Amino acid sequence: FCSSVLNGAVLRKVLSDPNSKFVGVYTATTSMVASGASLLFGILQSTHNRFHCGKGLVITIGVLAYLSIGLQFLAFPDGSNLNRISLLLIYILLGVGRATYEGSLRAVSVDFFPNEKEGAFGNIILFSGSSATLGYILSATGALQCEKVSKYCMEYIDGSIH
């Protein structure tokens, strides 16, 4: 949901890019950071390594990455403080969070259900799918639409206000 808002509205507005020429570059940045961070997090969690930090620290790093994205938009919801560099930082933080979600969080879920790995992954899919579905339903039904542009309501390229 965060990526769709960033790619669909924020990027176009901040970069004055109605044709979305930069969406691919920023999205690729998230994937590149996620792959590099996954390798780094795997090394940090390895018990065969001299420096072993465990899954807790890695998950904390991912949570802080997602939290900082949310706090940034809570403090500056209209995106007036964003530029190319700050947008790049947001996409980097998305990559760090994604690496945590795709690796460490799944490993911790399996640790909670050692005899039912299918149940562990089923829970992950259930909760992530439910939250994404709820976000899109609220957006598509107009429940998140505002009457006028304000501090927490942004006008999209298509003229709708959310």
Side-chain angles (χ1 to χ4, degrees), residues 18-72:
N19 298 325
S20 301
K21 293 184 289 189
F22 295 103
V23 169
V25 174
Y26 283 97
T27 304
T29 300
T30 297
S31 298
M32 288 185 337
V33 169
S35 64
S38 292
L39 289 172
L40 176 65
F41 292 161
I43 292 168
L44 290 175
Q45 294 176 80
S46 174
T47 56
H48 304 293
N49 195 355
R50 267 187 349 182
F51 182 73
H52 171 71
C53 69
K55 297 172 191 147
L57 177 64
V58 172
I59 289 177
T60 302
I61 292 169
V63 167
L64 291 174
Y66 280 133
L67 180 66
S68 62
I69 294 169
L71 290 175
Q72 193 279 323

Side-chain angles (χ1 to χ4, degrees), residues 52-155:
H52 171 71
C53 69
K55 297 172 191 147
L57 177 64
V58 172
I59 289 177
T60 302
I61 292 169
V63 167
L64 291 174
Y66 280 133
L67 180 66
S68 62
I69 294 169
L71 290 175
Q72 193 279 323
F73 282 103
L74 188 63
F76 303 103
D78 60 352
S80 59
N81 66 319
L82 295 175
N83 57 33
R84 290 181 194 273
I85 302 297
S86 57
L87 271 176
L88 185 64
L89 178 62
I90 289 171
Y91 279 87
I92 288 170
L93 290 170
L94 279 173
V96 170
R98 181 174 170 187
T100 304
Y101 172 76
E102 298 292 340
S104 303
L105 183 64
R106 291 174 188 252
V108 168
S109 296
V110 170
D111 290 346
F112 279 114
F113 300 96
N115 299 324
E116 295 184 36
K117 295 185 184 350
E118 296 84 6
F121 291 115
N123 280 330
I124 292 171
I125 297 301
L126 174 71
F127 289 113
S128 68
S130 299
S131 62
T133 301
L134 179 65
Y136 283 110
I137 287 172
L138 289 173
S139 180
T141 59
L144 299 178
Q145 285 191 330
C146 304
E147 298 295 322
K148 61 182 181 164
V149 176
S150 65
K151 184 174 183 177
Y152 292 104
C153 292
M154 173 186 277
E155 184 175 2

